[in-house]
Amino acid sequence: MQEFKHYQAAHCENGVTVGLLKQAGLEQITEPLAFGIGSGLFYIEIPFLKLQSGPAISFRTFPGNIFKRTCKAFDVKLETKKYRDEEKAMYELDALLEQGISVGCQVGVFHLSYYPKQYRFHFNAHNLIVFGREGNDYLVSDPIMEETTTLSRQAMRKVRFAKGVLAPKGHIYYPTSIGEVTDDKLVAAIRTGIKRNCRDMLRIPGGVAGAKGINYTAKNIRKWRDKLGERKAALYLGQIVRMQEEIGTGGGGFRYLYGAFLEEAAAITGKEELLIVSEKITKAGDMWRDSAVQMAGIYKGRLSAQADYNHCADILNQISAVEKEAFLQLDKIKI
Amino acid sequence: MKKSEIPQDEGPLKGWTREVCYAKNEDGKYERGLSAGWSVKNDALDSAWEEVNKSVEEALKQVRAGKMSPIFYFMELKLMDVAVLAHYTGFWKWTVKRHFNPFRFKKLSDKVLQKYADVFEVSVEQLKNFK
């Protein structure tokens, strides 16, 4: 094992994946590669479920998938554990750190003391790496931060055993061994990642997931103002913007990440066609940004007419079409 | 998005960190850049907090009017809902809802109150003598 190097990322799970795999010896891995190989791009609005009393929307695949899939692609053997007993969970973390192993942890952000208060909601799918301990403080590499930080033992216990939806239950994970990484394996990983992402964006039955799911949300947006009243409808739009990334910047960040992945994939595989699809995904990212600006007009109270809601919905319909086209094109490229 | 267009709007990230984003450089290639924040997202966060603050204020009124127990107020203050609070305390959801009733609340044992106090990070005293 090499010494742990902090890796800042746009998204926590990508960052943990890259941080842990680089340490295990996978030098080639970058955030966009992890995101693409893990088939990270997605869209879903889960019907009937409400999160923080707003629509349950996600712009990426389910928590844990990116890490699991990327590890599988490179024959990385993993140890993962969840606990009932808090005492045991803390003891085993300490024991691993003693052995010099850096450990990925799923945590809730509500008690994450180094976070600014404004971000501390009951959100339980955040990921970070613990890479050491000094007395009562754990050394923490939180991928969304520029620098490493520390967390007290007491706080660590609280965040590992946060409660509510997706409760982490002390979940830890770390690679134990890694297969030989060849160029062929890298190409195969990219191929698998792309195929799976095409499936997720194009061929999930029902109308709520993939490119089609964006139209489902658009359809709902048109009804919100009459159904929920102006205040609540505006809050729902705010939620969509907040969900575009947990903390990340500029709406549609996941689309840009995927665009960057396709660009790297084109360089590795030599398939120039991937660059054309990358352009399209970048365009979708720009359109998500535009939609967020339009939605902000509503939740800031500057706009409130039904026509403004329709405008948001129209942009979403266009995004759906662009993403569908991009993935249909991607699906046809032989890698 | 071009790298030069990466938003640098001051907000809650200030003094804490900047965030990574991917944007196009002058040659049309993707590059990593750092952003100080984006006003559109800051505003979304602000409006979510406005809503939270309204709920907390409303809860305070109800407790003062004797319609709800302090447990209800602290639940709102800690951004929880009944499901999350039930999970933290280990009580059933319907039990938690019963404890919102000020008359039932007065009869709760210190042991039960201690559980709530731990979750809310306050003392039992603060629950009993709510101000």
Side-chain angles (χ1 to χ4, degrees):
Chain A
M1 287 272 175
Q2 304 168 353
E3 198 191 332
F4 183 76
K5 267 202 214 109
H6 176 64
Y7 182 89
Q8 194 191 3
H11 180 244
C12 67
E13 192 180 335
N14 298 336
V16 168
T17 305
V18 174
L20 289 177
L21 293 185
K22 265 194 194 298
Q23 197 194 19
L26 188 63
E27 271 307 316
Q28 299 93 323
I29 198 79
T30 62
E31 177 175 17
L33 277 179
F35 186 68
I37 289 169
S39 314
L41 198 79
F42 197 45
Y43 185 88
I44 188 166
E45 178 176 347
I46 303 169
F48 312 117
L49 182 72
K50 293 280 171 280
L51 279 184
Q52 291 157 22
S53 47
I57 287 175
S58 181
F59 290 81
R60 52 135 171 149
T61 188
F62 295 100
N65 273 349
I66 294 171
F67 183 68
K68 237 175 7 204
R69 290 164 172 173
T70 309
C71 284
K72 200 174 167 213
F74 294 105
D75 291 328
V76 175
K77 294 273 183 305
L78 268 181
E79 189 69 56
T80 117
K81 267 189 163 178
K82 285 191 178 185
Y83 300 88
R84 279 196 174 187
D85 184 348
E86 296 189 15
E87 224 26 78
K88 190 178 171 207
M90 295 306 286
Y91 174 80
E92 293 200 0
L93 174 63
D94 290 347
L96 288 166
L97 295 173
E98 287 289 319
Q99 295 170 49
I101 295 172
S102 304
V103 183
C105 281
Q106 185 193 338
V107 299
V109 298
F110 186 73
H111 289 104
L112 212 50
S113 46
Y114 58 76
Y115 254 48
K117 187 174 177 286
Q118 289 97 320
Y119 288 106
R120 286 164 64 182
F121 288 85
H122 291 276
F123 171 76
N124 286 335
H126 186 56
N127 291 276
L128 50 80
I129 300 172
V130 187
F131 64 97
R133 184 161 73 102
E134 277 171 7
N136 200 36
D137 283 334
Y138 289 96
L139 307 180
V140 170
S141 157
D142 190 316
I144 63 154
M145 289 174 68
E146 285 175 89
E147 310 283 344
T148 59
T149 181
T150 59
L151 196 62
S152 73
R153 187 174 185 80
Q154 198 190 5
M156 180 64 83
R157 187 168 171 152
K158 271 196 178 156
V159 296
R160 289 184 69 197
F161 285 91
K163 302 292 196 302
V165 182
L166 294 172
K169 297 185 180 126
H171 187 198
I172 56 165
Y173 47 91
Y174 54 94
T176 51
S177 74
I178 182 167
E180 196 193 341
V181 183
T182 58
D183 287 350
D184 283 351
K185 213 186 245 179
L186 189 56
V187 172
I190 288 169
R191 184 190 306 126
T192 310
I194 287 178
K195 289 291 161 213
R196 189 167 41 208
N197 222 144
C198 290
R199 180 201 69 186
D200 287 353
M201 286 301 285
L202 297 171
R203 289 190 285 274
I204 292 183
V208 300
K212 278 182 296 187
I214 306 170
N215 283 335
Y216 173 69
T217 303
K219 198 173 90 189
N220 290 340
I221 290 176
R222 290 177 209 276
K223 291 187 251 172
W224 281 349
R225 190 170 171 275
D226 282 345
K227 211 168 107 187
L228 307 165
E230 282 184 24
R231 185 161 141 241
K232 206 160 177 199
L235 278 169
Y236 273 35
L237 290 177
Q239 172 116 332
I240 296 183
V241 174
R242 289 200 300 137
M243 290 300 134
Q244 289 199 14
E245 289 113 289
E246 297 134 32
I247 286 197
T249 106
F254 287 116
R255 271 59 195 164
Y256 295 139
L257 246 175
Y258 204 75
F261 159 67
L262 290 175
E263 210 175 87
E264 287 190 30
I268 292 167
T269 60
K271 295 281 170 187
E272 294 279 315
E273 305 102 289
L274 292 174
L275 292 175
I276 302 166
V277 183
S278 173
E279 282 304 322
K280 282 219 170 98
I281 300 280
T282 304
K283 189 176 148 204
D286 289 339
M287 291 165 81
W288 276 115
R289 250 174 91 76
D290 293 343
S291 81
V293 172
Q294 175 70 17
M295 289 174 189
I298 295 176
Y299 56 70
K300 280 183 79 178
R302 199 160 38 78
L303 307 169
S304 64
Q306 179 59 38
D308 301 318
Y309 284 84
N310 289 345
H311 185 197
C312 294
D314 291 342
I315 302 179
L316 261 53
N317 286 138
Q318 289 159 16
I319 297 173
S320 172
V322 170
E323 293 195 0
K324 186 178 171 192
E325 198 188 300
F327 276 93
L328 281 172
Q329 210 172 356
L330 188 57
D331 206 21
K332 288 198 193 98
I333 298 174
K334 295 256 181 299
I335 300 164
Chain B
M1 184 170 61
K2 292 200 186 85
K3 210 173 168 198
S4 55
E5 294 165 358
I6 292 176
Q8 305 292 353
D9 305 334
E10 248 178 40
L13 292 175
K14 192 175 178 240
W16 184 56
T17 193
R18 285 175 297 170
E19 34 190 21
V20 167
C21 48
Y22 291 79
K24 297 256 186 178
N25 66 14
E26 277 163 15
D27 305 327
K29 290 259 181 228
Y30 267 103
E31 245 180 50
R32 278 159 72 101
L34 285 169
S35 162
W38 191 30
S39 63
V40 168
K41 281 196 65 118
N42 296 344
D43 292 339
L45 198 56
D46 286 347
S47 76
W49 274 100
E50 261 169 44
E51 190 62 15
V52 169
N53 293 337
K54 260 184 207 152
S55 306
V56 174
E57 237 169 76
E58 185 55 33
L60 187 61
K61 272 187 206 149
Q62 283 180 288
V63 176
R64 288 203 169 131
K67 287 182 190 152
M68 284 293 204
S69 78
I71 290 173
F72 179 69
Y73 167 77
F74 281 109
M75 177 183 82
E76 294 285 354
L77 185 69
K78 295 286 176 177
L79 278 64
M80 296 177 176
D81 56 20
V82 175
V84 173
L85 181 54
H87 201 173
Y88 267 106
T89 53
F91 298 131
W92 295 98
K93 278 200 269 185
W94 63 268
T95 312
V96 170
K97 280 189 199 159
R98 279 163 65 101
H99 296 166
F100 291 163
N101 181 319
F103 299 102
R104 286 208 168 86
F105 171 75
K106 283 206 179 95
K107 290 179 197 158
L108 292 180
S109 69
D110 276 8
K111 204 178 138 195
V112 170
L113 289 176
Q114 188 63 52
K115 272 201 178 167
Y116 281 111
D118 287 345
V119 171
F120 297 141
E121 296 171 314
V122 296
S123 65
V124 172
E125 211 43 43
Q126 277 171 289
L127 281 177
K128 276 185 177 170
N129 301 318
F130 185 78
K131 276 174 195 137

